[in-house]
Amino acid sequence: MSNLLRKPFKYTYKNATLILIFINIAVFFFTSYFAELPYYLAMNPIFVIRGHYYFQFITYMFVHGNWQHLFFNMLGLLVFGLNLERGLGSKEFLCLYLVTGFLSGLFSFITYYFTNQPMVFLMGASGALYAILFTYAVFFPRSIIYIWGILPVPAPILVLVYAIIEAGSQFLGRGGNVAHMAHLYGFLGAWLYIRIRMGIKPLKVWRGR
């Protein structure tokens, strides 16, 4: 079973990052013309439980609430996704994106269910994007990210900063309409994927071991 999970894909590079961005933009335009469609594609606990809309664990990550939501998610995907895809190959990258996005949605669903939040509609690529950021920091641990184009921050430190911000925003009651737990679950999904699929220990990588 372990060998099957870790069987590598044949390396190919097919611009999966750009294709994902195109699909997200296309879905945004499509949902803009059909006001009720986002409610069926976004992940909602009641729809999943009573309507058996299990496809929402995948479709939610392609739905965005507004232009700003779409723009910043796609910008992040473009910045981190292109280099990571070149390193992993398109098939592995796409598998990572979809699996971690699914896990982020699944873990969020479990959280909403046990905290009695049936009317939440989870949408956006943020969970998968945070997984991409986490994985990028593992494969390019010495990469420097320039915040606002000025402040240099090593990729692993950026992951830590985002984790602190998301956890603080969630547990200090400053979440607003942002799904901070979905972001944290994106990190968790990436960690599980990297450990199980690739056999890599992120902390050892970041410690230089």
Side-chain angles (χ1 to χ4, degrees), residues 148-170:
W148 301 303
I150 302 174
L151 182 63
V153 179
I157 299 300
L158 185 63
V159 168
L160 176 62
V161 170
Y162 269 117
I164 293 173
I165 292 174
E166 296 300 329
S169 298
Q170 176 67 34

Side-chain angles (χ1 to χ4, degrees), residues 11-18 80-91 93-94 140:
Y11 184 90
T12 58
Y13 184 74
K14 301 292 185 179
N15 291 308
T17 301
L18 298 181
F80 299 107
L82 287 177
N83 285 332
L84 186 59
E85 182 187 353
R86 291 191 184 99
L88 297 180
S90 297
K91 293 179 181 178
F93 174 81
L94 187 59
F140 303 98

